[in-house]
Amino acid sequence: MPRFLPLTTALALLLAVVAAAPAATLVLDHETPGAAWDGIVDGFPGLVPKDGNPDFGQNPLSVVLKGDVTEVRSVMEFPLASLADVAADDIVAVTLRFNVDDVLSTLGPGTELSGKAASSIRVYFYAGDGVALTSDFKNTNEGFTTVSIGGNITDATLKQTGAVFFEVDARARLVQALAEGSTHLGVLWRTTDSPTGTSLDDGRGGSASGEPSETSAGSKMPQLIIEVNEQPPPGCGNGVPDPGETCDDGNTDDGDCCSRRCQLESAGSACSDGDACTTGDVCDGAGVCVPGGPTVCDDGSICTADACDPATGCTNTPTNEGESCDDGSVCTTGDACTTGVCFGTPITGTCDDGNACTSGDVCTGGICVGEPLCGNGVVEPSCDEECDDGNRVSVDGCSDVCRYDSLLGGTKPMECLVSIAFGLPVRDGSGNIATKQICTDNDPACDADPTEGVCGFDVGVCLGVADARLPACSATPSLAPAVRKPGRSKRDRANRERLDAALASVSSPGCTAPVRIDVPLRKKGKKLRPGKTKLVVRAKPAGGKPDKDTVVLGCLPAS
């Protein structure tokens, strides 16, 4: 079996030309920061019948099919950030590698399977967004590759052979994803063989129930193995086009219309003609950098004299000192040029800040300031408001900028019995609250804890609060809430105690005060690994059916 470089080594090789080796191997897997994966189930005895609309996710990787009873497909999204500066021509090969490590005999009552792995598995690629969602179940619009599994793999054979590995050529699809600007390359596995259950992970259970299963030796999560050419061809950069070279400009630089591999860069590729007074320069496809339009140096002020130096770019020299000008504010008077800037004396009074999404505008410190309409109890779609609950408080279902900050567990009327809100919610590619809140350590957009190695999530629990997203929901009093997860282990105790205390101090309809949930990274040797915590909160009305919401909070190491 080939040996692959560790991820840290591969990333370093991508950033520098290494004279000792012609290529570097980059391995992307489930431990790569930003990776996402899930097994997604459609149909199950007692749930909605199998109809192509997935019921739930958050399962190990497997593919399962039993007639019209149940189906499991698996997805994994590989982050492409480490390839941002890699040219398509330098990507020599890309291989998707996955294994069969276990055969499932059942997912529970009513889902008995054959005891054999699927005879074939279909592999689909798609443009990923970094979040494994139940909607990814349907990413089958692109063509697929059929991988022959053989139809004779059982638990007994796996005990003899260990995990069985399969490979799919993914170079063309990866190059396409990079050209389209995709952040992730998504992969979906499914089968048409019924009734079979095939585990594709590294011993995580393989079933929708997540129960431990007997896995074979050497099993791994799926990987993308990328071979990257790091060396220019021999003779490239000597100023003379050699056989196989379409140009040679005497260097091995990219971005000058003759690449570091001595190939003409395509027409329209960005370049620089060396003149700071032109912008938007592009290659003509024949090795020449064509100047773009003139660099605009006009700063719009009569208090400066604008010019451009081809070597250094724009200059804006102070002029018209003491001359009258207009600083553009209705809240100043006596505007005049002062060392290149138009200054005026602040005045007080009402004004109009020109923003239709504010009211009560007044002059404050020379600036016209208004109060946002958010918080007036009226949803203003033209102001990018999704909701307006009459306040500007976050973590109560509607944030301080009037956007939803809570995640509903489904679409049934009872889903308003309990919902989980977030102070810094992570959103998916469609702008909705992500079903998994995955944050990178110290990312200010989602991590409320500045401590290294810990992601802090500010969460609140809303009980019986009506939600306009579900018109059938109504405010519900007298609910009995309970925290099911996190548990009371030493690792989870502090988070559990904070949630318990918050729920004890709120009545329905209403939301708890924000509670800090800490999700630490895991350490394995000297490496930091992703950490996660699951929140499960239940609420039950008197004499009615309960609602239980589950959210996974994940913390990724900073790259």
Side-chain angles (χ1 to χ4, degrees):
M1 182 182 297
R3 295 182 63 190
F4 302 113
L5 296 174
L7 177 60
T8 52
T9 303
L11 288 173
L13 288 171
L14 283 172
L15 301 177
V17 174
V18 181
T25 301
L26 172 63
V27 178
L28 303 180
D29 59 18
H30 67 292
E31 295 185 338
T32 305
W37 65 95
D38 204 348
I40 299 169
V41 180
D42 176 37
F44 205 80
L47 296 179
V48 177
K50 188 170 81 69
D51 58 2
N53 292 309
D55 300 317
F56 58 91
Q58 300 178 16
N59 298 296
L61 297 186
S62 62
V63 290
V64 179
L65 182 63
K66 183 174 182 180
D68 292 324
V69 179
T70 190
E71 179 176 8
V72 181
R73 303 179 188 181
S74 286
V75 297
M76 188 161 181
E77 299 197 357
F78 298 93
L80 305 181
S82 57
L83 295 169
D85 297 324
V86 178
D89 289 345
D90 288 340
I91 298 177
V92 179
V94 181
T95 302
L96 170 69
R97 194 166 191 260
F98 66 96
N99 66 204
V100 171
D101 71 325
D102 182 34
V103 175
L104 312 178
S105 59
T106 181
L107 300 184
T111 59
E112 290 71 22
L113 306 171
S114 67
K116 288 186 178 182
S119 60
S120 65
I121 292 177
R122 293 181 178 182
V123 177
Y124 302 79
F125 293 101
Y126 65 93
D129 56 10
V131 184
L133 302 171
T134 53
S135 58
D136 289 330
F137 186 94
K138 296 185 176 182
N139 275 317
T140 57
N141 56 310
E142 297 189 21
F144 59 85
T145 298
T146 300
V147 179
S148 176
I149 306 300
N152 55 3
I153 295 178
T154 66
D155 280 340
T157 66
L158 289 170
K159 287 182 180 178
Q160 301 297 319
T161 64
V164 181
F165 287 83
F166 302 90
E167 295 184 344
V168 174
D169 181 2
R171 183 186 181 280
R173 190 58 184 86
L174 176 65
V175 169
Q176 177 186 338
L178 293 173
E180 293 172 347
S182 300
T183 61
H184 291 70
L185 179 62
V187 183
L188 180 144
W189 292 264
R190 66 176 293 205
T191 186
T192 58
D193 299 327
S194 174
T196 62
T198 312
S199 173
L200 307 179
D201 55 27
D202 60 349
R204 293 162 191 259
S207 70
S209 64
E211 293 297 324
S213 60
E214 187 174 358
T215 56
S216 51
S219 60
K220 292 183 179 294
M221 289 286 280
Q223 300 174 318
L224 267 188
I225 302 165
I226 306 167
E227 298 289 336
V228 180
N229 188 353
E230 288 291 282
Q231 290 280 37
C236 178
N238 63 8
V240 179
D242 296 316
E245 299 178 354
T246 58
C247 61
D248 195 320
D249 57 359
N251 64 57
T252 55
D253 298 332
D254 287 323
D256 60 0
C257 301
C258 182
S259 75
R260 64 188 175 95
R261 302 193 67 208
C262 287
Q263 300 296 314
L264 290 170
E265 296 182 275
S266 60
S269 299
C271 59
S272 174
D273 64 355
D275 186 346
C277 294
T278 63
T279 186
D281 308 336
V282 295
C283 298
D284 66 354
V288 177
C289 186
V290 179
T295 300
V296 178
C297 294
D298 184 1
D299 61 5
S301 173
I302 68 168
C303 298
T304 58
D306 308 319
C308 188
D309 184 323
T312 61
C314 291
T315 60
N316 305 104
T317 306
T319 188
N320 296 331
E321 189 71 10
E323 293 287 332
S324 296
C325 57
D326 184 356
D327 64 3
S329 174
V330 297
C331 294
T332 60
T333 187
D335 305 341
C337 293
T338 306
T339 62
V341 179
C342 189
F343 276 119
T345 303
I347 59 176
T348 59
T350 59
C351 57
D352 183 357
D353 65 0
N355 185 352
C357 296
T358 62
S359 63
D361 306 341
V362 295
C363 291
T364 304
I367 301 173
C368 190
V369 179
E371 284 294 316
L373 295 181
C374 174
N376 65 0
V378 178
V379 178
E380 307 280 354
S382 62
C383 298
D384 200 29
E385 292 185 7
E386 294 179 330
C387 55
D388 196 320
D389 56 0
N391 64 56
R392 295 182 63 196
V393 177
S394 291
V395 203
D396 65 350
C398 187
S399 73
D400 60 346
V401 292
C402 288
R403 293 183 63 80
Y404 290 118
D405 60 13
S406 67
L407 177 66
L408 292 172
T411 58
K412 298 179 180 179
M414 59 186 285
E415 296 299 342
C416 286
L417 297 183
V418 60
S419 61
I420 300 176
F422 308 92
L424 296 171
V426 177
R427 297 179 181 268
D428 61 25
S430 300
N432 301 316
I433 306 294
T435 55
K436 290 184 179 180
Q437 295 287 299
I438 308 299
C439 181
T440 299
D441 187 23
N442 283 336
D443 181 350
C446 55
D447 186 359
D449 188 329
T451 307
E452 295 283 347
V454 177
C455 293
F457 295 86
D458 286 337
V459 304
V461 179
C462 295
L463 301 173
V465 177
D467 194 305
R469 290 173 290 180
L470 296 177
C473 278
S474 59
T476 307
S478 305
L479 292 175
V483 177
R484 295 297 176 86
K485 289 187 179 182
R488 300 184 184 278
S489 65
K490 182 178 180 181
R491 181 177 72 95
D492 294 331
R493 185 178 302 136
N495 286 335
R496 174 60 178 265
E497 289 176 350
R498 287 193 286 267
L499 275 173
D500 283 339
L503 280 177
S505 62
V506 68
S507 58
S508 58
C511 301
T512 68
V515 174
R516 176 64 54 81
I517 302 296
D518 293 323
V519 180
L521 296 171
R522 297 182 296 114
K523 288 186 178 180
K524 188 173 183 180
K526 294 183 178 179
K527 290 186 176 181
L528 290 174
R529 303 296 175 90
K532 70 176 181 179
T533 291
K534 182 178 287 188
L535 303 185
V536 181
V537 184
R538 180 180 184 270
K540 186 178 187 302
K545 293 183 178 180
D547 176 24
K548 183 175 70 173
D549 276 14
T550 300
V551 175
V552 174
L553 306 179
C555 185
L556 303 177
S559 57

